Amino acid sequence: MTWTKKHLLDIESLEADEILTVLDTARAFKTVGERPIKKVPALRGKTVVNLFVEPSTRTRISFELAEQRLSADIINFSAEASSFKKGETLKDTARNLEALNADFIVIRHGASGAPHFLSRVIQAGVINAGDGAHEHPTQALLDVFTIREHKGRIAGLNVTILGDILYSRVARSNIRALTKLGANVTLCGPSTLVPKTFEQMGCRVTHDVDEAIRGADVLNLLRIQHERQRKTMFPGIGEYAQLFGLNHARLARAKPDALIMHPGPINRGVEIDSDIADGDRSLILEQVTNGLAVRMAVLFLVNGGKGPREVAGN
Ligand code: CP
């Protein structure tokens, strides 16, 4: 399928074939990353602004490296050092960036819908790098890319997402990507953080952690999003770790080839034992590596790239 979108705002508005186009294009860029010269001219002459209004390590650095590898001009916008501090609005900020000929804005923002709003008020392409508890589309794309690299497919796999689902943009984007590609998604965690209403998204909800782990081909652990919780949703971190954390006893009940994933940042000893996070079965750092190829693919496609076959010519 040929990609035609100018923005990447969410997974919700993507067709399964569009997700597969991103994954196939990312595969081609991963191959480019194995060449002695890793840089391609695809975005030469284009300006990309990284507008991160919320903290980030992996997503911000990965986008910046992807832009460098694609030969773009890059502006890293620091909210703390900007006129946001003087009360300038997001719309005015973005229009000023556009007046400086920004072609693309990669935005992370604490407000759900901020990228969608920007896409309506500016001409530049907008890429969502995480908006509130709404969506984190490139995280989901790199997660399904990583699963497909290991399992060879997504359809028919049993994927368990365990943790704070209610406040998680990663969970929402993953549920959408995985169900569109035919996976069976199970959500698990405390009932306050994993309400049954999530079943409306086409997944299963259980609060029995051992059952959720037992049949899974993939275990994706999520951290507690303290920064988004407006009230205490469970008694304490120690109790959470005891009842829902991935420890060796629980892992022993999983399939021997179950993949262990986490978008980061990890809270060691809470949602995952430290030595499991660092162990042979963990794909946590491989996810970060794959994020580079996936973000190169997204930037390439929103810039008018048609798909994986075009990458070879770059
Ligand atoms: N996974 C993720 O979004 O990490 P950062 O917040 O560090 O970007």
Side-chain angles (χ1 to χ4, degrees), residues 55-60 108 136 139 263-265:
S56 168
T57 298
R58 281 146 288 270
T59 312
R60 182 174 53 80
R108 169 167 289 194
H136 192 345
Q139 180 67 48

Side-chain angles (χ1 to χ4, degrees), residues 262-279:
H262 192 307
I266 57 176
N267 292 138
R268 291 173 180 271
V270 182
E271 69 271 10
I272 185 167
D273 271 14
S274 199
D275 49 349
I276 297 176
D278 297 332

Side-chain angles (χ1 to χ4, degrees), residues 98-151:
E98 203 169 43
L100 293 167
N101 293 325
D103 295 291
F104 297 100
I105 295 185
V106 177
I107 177 170
R108 169 167 289 194
H109 202 287
S112 297
H116 303 70
F117 168 72
L118 271 198
S119 73
R120 291 193 293 272
V121 297
I122 59 173
Q123 295 303 311
V126 178
I127 300 167
N128 183 357
D131 63 323
H134 175 230
E135 281 229 29
H136 192 345
T138 57
Q139 180 67 48
L141 291 166
L142 76 88
D143 290 341
V144 290
F145 178 88
T146 304
I147 295 169
R148 198 175 70 156
E149 291 274 279
H150 280 265
K151 297 288 188 188

